[in-house]
Amino acid sequence: MEEKKTGPVRRRRRRKTRLLETVRQELERTLPTYIHDAVISYEGFLDSPLPEDAKGFAAYHSACKAALTHVEVLAKLMRWCENTPEEVAAHVHSEGEEIADLLAGARAALQELEG
């Protein structure tokens, strides 16, 4: 029967855990600035004139979507830094419900505009 060596594996896990905690702390320190800068940049982009041609219009909205996705990812990283793994898992479920509510509200607003 082969004997398993657990010493190095435990050491690696501890090292990875410490590294992950270091990354978490660094992100928690820097992410607020990154989020603020991304939002300011996006607001500046929104202040630019809207393109009148269809291709430019599509590119403009694609860029807006990319900017919002960027801010969303930064916000999710911030949540990860602030919460325990259990809190993050619970939030993911409630976030799906929140997105469904936002979509329903957007659809209702569109119907009001069309009606």
Side-chain angles (χ1 to χ4, degrees):
M1 186 182 245
E2 231 177 272
E3 191 175 311
K4 290 185 179 181
K5 295 180 182 180
T6 58
V9 173
R10 286 185 183 160
R11 216 175 293 139
R12 270 187 255 139
R13 283 187 188 152
R14 274 189 238 131
R15 196 175 318 141
K16 285 181 182 178
T17 301
R18 276 185 263 136
L19 178 61
L20 186 59
E21 187 55 35
T22 301
V23 169
R24 182 188 299 262
Q25 289 171 357
E26 180 66 16
L27 284 173
E28 191 170 17
R29 185 181 67 75
T30 58
L31 277 171
T33 301
Y34 296 161
I35 293 169
H36 178 262
D37 291 350
V39 169
I40 295 298
S41 176
Y42 178 56
E43 287 175 344
F45 182 75
L46 286 174
D47 288 339
S48 65
L50 287 172
E52 292 184 23
D53 64 309
K55 187 175 181 179
F57 183 81
Y60 178 85
H61 283 279
S62 180
C64 289
K65 182 179 175 183
L68 288 174
T69 300
H70 180 222
V71 171
E72 178 186 25
V73 168
L74 292 174
K76 285 180 180 180
L77 277 171
M78 192 67 202
R79 257 185 254 123
W80 173 77
C81 290
E82 294 172 341
N83 297 321
T84 65
E86 295 80 21
E87 290 170 327
V88 171
H91 182 77
V92 168
H93 178 70
S94 66
E95 187 177 74
E97 292 170 358
E98 182 181 345
I99 290 171
D101 290 344
L102 287 171
L103 286 172
R107 286 185 186 112
L110 284 172
Q111 286 178 347
E112 282 182 34
L113 287 173
E114 292 172 351

